């Protein structure tokens, strides 16, 4: 990935509430049924709430509702393809996205899908062909805004999809998005943690995610030795390697209150994203097996005193 000019997030943006984690901007005719569709499915599979506008009816002017959706997204992925610049709608989307980057510090990640970043930056090649048409039919001020947006976006750190398996490119993009988005999902840990390096290294080696099996690791010992803190640190560091993750806290207290159903529902909410209702623990067990049986999931159960 190239060097980025993205400004660091401020504390004010860290508390901002977003309707969507990712907004996907793309030229439907180019990538709707292949790359963008596969990217959307993979983001959704990782529990990353993503908006794509292929369900909207396209017109000459971009809808105000869509502009609001862009504002309510934490990250925008712009898939530049051969015919991207031929779409006035796409160019309007991009201009709005770059405005949100400037005014709201939105994260913008460009994907150069079988196009040369130079063509995007300088509006040459197929992008130049598109603008030769726009300059005859569109207000000059608006055309210049589109040009500036393309130039700015192409200078950001992004992804080049030119050869090799698309699935590998998509995996890389999803991991990067997950790492960026999980900042809002990280567990709070005190800053004064010291002397845990060896324990953390040992625990992570036992949880090697390269193994295609089920692995259970227990952390035990007297109170006050930071067992929960160690688990939190490892959870924060490795959760992006899994399809989904759940950290169930204060399990002993919840279990002793007879709220096992609550724990099952919390687990399913974290890992599947649905608030499922069921009447007894046995049904919950069956649903968990069915929903998580084929997923790569990280589950931490904190404060356990019963098998």
């Amino acid at each position: 990935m190239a060097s980025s000019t993205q400004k660091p997030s401020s504390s004010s943006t860290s508390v901002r509430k977003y309707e969507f984690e990712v907004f996907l901007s793309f030229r439907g005719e180019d990538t709707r049924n292949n790359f963008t569709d596969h990217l959307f499915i993979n983001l959704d599979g990782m529990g990353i709430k993503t908006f794509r506008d292929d369900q909207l009816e396209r017109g000459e002017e971009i809808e105000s509702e869509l502009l609001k959706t862009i504002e309510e997204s934490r990250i925008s992925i712009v898939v530049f393809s051969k015919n991207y610049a031929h779409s006035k709608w796409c160019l309007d989307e991009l201009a709005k996205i770059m405005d949100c980057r400037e005014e709201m510090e939105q994260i913008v990640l460009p994907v150069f899908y079988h196009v040369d970043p130079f063509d995007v930056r300088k509006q040459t090649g197929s992008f130049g062909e598109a603008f030769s048409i726009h300059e005859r039919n569109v207000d000059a001020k608006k055309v210049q805004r589109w040009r500036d947006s393309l130039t700015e976006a192409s200078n950001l750190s992004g992804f080049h999809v030119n050869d090799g398996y698309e699935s590998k490119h998509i995996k890389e993009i999803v991991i990067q998005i997950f790492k960026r988005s999980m900042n809002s999902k990280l567990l709070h840990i005190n800053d004064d943690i010291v002397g845990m390096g060896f324990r953390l290294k040992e625990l992570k080696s036992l949880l090697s995610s390269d193994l295609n099996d089920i692995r259970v690791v227990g952390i035990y010992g007297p109170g006050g030795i930071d067992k929960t803190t160690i688990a939190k640190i490892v959870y924060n560091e490795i959760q992006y390697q899994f399809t989904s993750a759940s950290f169930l806290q204060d399990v002993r207290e919840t279990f002793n209150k007879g709220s096992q159903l609550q724990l099952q529902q919390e687990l399913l909410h974290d890992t599947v994203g649905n608030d499922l209702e069921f009447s007894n623990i046995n049904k919950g067990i069956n649903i968990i097996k069915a929903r998580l049986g084929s997923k790569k999931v990280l589950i931490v159960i904190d404060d356990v005193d019963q098998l």
Side-chain angles (χ1 to χ4, degrees), residues 241-306:
Q241 301 175 35
F242 296 81
T243 303
S244 51
S246 176
F247 194 105
L248 302 175
Q249 301 190 73
D250 303 321
V251 168
R252 175 170 51 182
E253 180 181 352
T254 306
F255 194 87
N256 290 339
K257 290 180 179 179
S259 302
Q260 296 95 318
L261 279 176
Q262 177 184 328
L263 291 172
Q264 291 180 326
Q265 289 167 348
E266 183 179 344
L267 172 62
L268 287 167
H269 174 81
D270 290 345
T271 54
V272 182
N274 295 332
D275 292 320
L276 301 173
E277 294 186 4
F278 38 89
S279 57
N280 60 66
I281 297 173
N282 289 325
K283 286 185 178 180
I285 291 173
N286 290 334
I287 293 173
I288 290 170
K289 285 183 177 180
R291 293 298 181 93
L292 302 186
S294 60
K295 288 180 175 288
K296 186 177 181 180
V297 182
L298 173 64
I299 301 171
V300 178
I301 308 176
D302 182 49
D303 195 23
V304 175
D305 68 344
Q306 297 184 45

Side-chain angles (χ1 to χ4, degrees), residues 142-155:
K142 190 169 191 177
V143 170
Q144 188 58 49
R145 186 186 182 208
W146 290 343
R147 286 188 180 276
D148 292 342
S149 297
L150 285 167
T151 299
E152 184 181 355
S154 65
N155 283 325

Side-chain angles (χ1 to χ4, degrees), residues 9-217:
S9 296
S10 65
S11 59
S12 61
T13 57
S14 64
V15 297
R16 179 181 175 84
K17 293 184 178 180
Y18 297 94
E19 181 66 24
F20 296 94
E21 198 68 28
V22 173
F23 179 89
L24 267 178
S25 176
F26 61 98
R27 175 68 161 155
E29 295 175 4
D30 290 351
T31 66
R32 177 189 294 115
N33 297 322
N34 43 63
F35 180 82
T36 300
D37 181 55
H38 298 155
L39 176 58
F40 175 82
I41 290 173
N42 278 267
L43 288 168
D44 185 65
M46 289 290 283
I48 300 171
K49 191 175 182 182
T50 305
F51 180 89
R52 57 177 176 179
D53 66 354
D54 57 342
Q55 300 297 322
L56 300 177
E57 184 178 349
R58 302 269 177 155
E60 283 297 315
E61 298 294 331
I62 192 168
E63 298 291 337
S64 59
E65 183 178 348
L66 184 60
L67 296 176
K68 184 172 182 290
T69 301
I70 296 173
E71 292 177 356
E72 294 175 342
S73 300
R74 184 170 184 268
I75 301 170
S76 281
I77 299 177
V78 184
V79 182
F80 291 119
S81 55
K82 183 178 180 180
N83 295 307
Y84 184 91
H86 283 272
S87 169
K88 298 176 185 177
W89 182 290
C90 287
L91 293 171
D92 279 340
E93 272 188 0
L94 178 64
K96 178 62 177 179
I97 287 169
M98 300 314 294
D99 285 346
C100 288
R101 177 180 182 271
E102 177 67 26
E103 299 167 7
M104 304 160 64
E105 298 187 351
Q106 183 179 101
I107 298 171
V108 180
L109 295 176
V111 177
F112 303 99
Y113 185 76
H114 297 287
V115 297
D116 191 329
F118 181 87
D119 288 341
V120 180
R121 186 176 303 114
K122 298 297 184 180
Q123 294 90 60
T124 56
S126 63
F127 283 73
E129 295 170 4
F131 272 86
S132 66
I133 298 172
H134 296 323
E135 286 176 340
R136 295 195 299 267
N137 302 304
V138 181
D139 176 73
K141 186 176 180 180
K142 190 169 191 177
V143 170
Q144 188 58 49
R145 186 186 182 208
W146 290 343
R147 286 188 180 276
D148 292 342
S149 297
L150 285 167
T151 299
E152 184 181 355
S154 65
N155 283 325
L156 299 176
S157 176
F159 303 87
H160 297 180
V161 182
N162 291 319
D163 50 25
Y165 292 109
E166 288 191 359
S167 58
K168 290 185 177 180
H169 292 291
I170 288 173
K171 182 178 181 181
E172 181 185 0
I173 294 170
V174 171
I175 288 175
Q176 289 296 327
I177 293 294
F178 189 85
K179 285 181 177 179
R180 289 172 181 265
S181 67
M182 78 176 184
N183 287 333
S184 61
K185 304 173 186 177
L186 295 180
L187 303 174
H188 173 72
I189 299 170
N190 293 329
D191 296 330
D192 57 351
I193 301 302
V194 293
M196 289 193 177
F198 175 76
R199 293 177 179 177
L200 292 171
K201 183 178 180 180
E202 186 176 20
L203 179 55
K204 284 191 284 187
S205 70
L206 294 172
L207 288 168
S208 174
S209 59
D210 294 332
L211 301 175
N212 293 317
D213 62 2
I214 298 171
R215 179 148 295 198
V216 179
V217 176

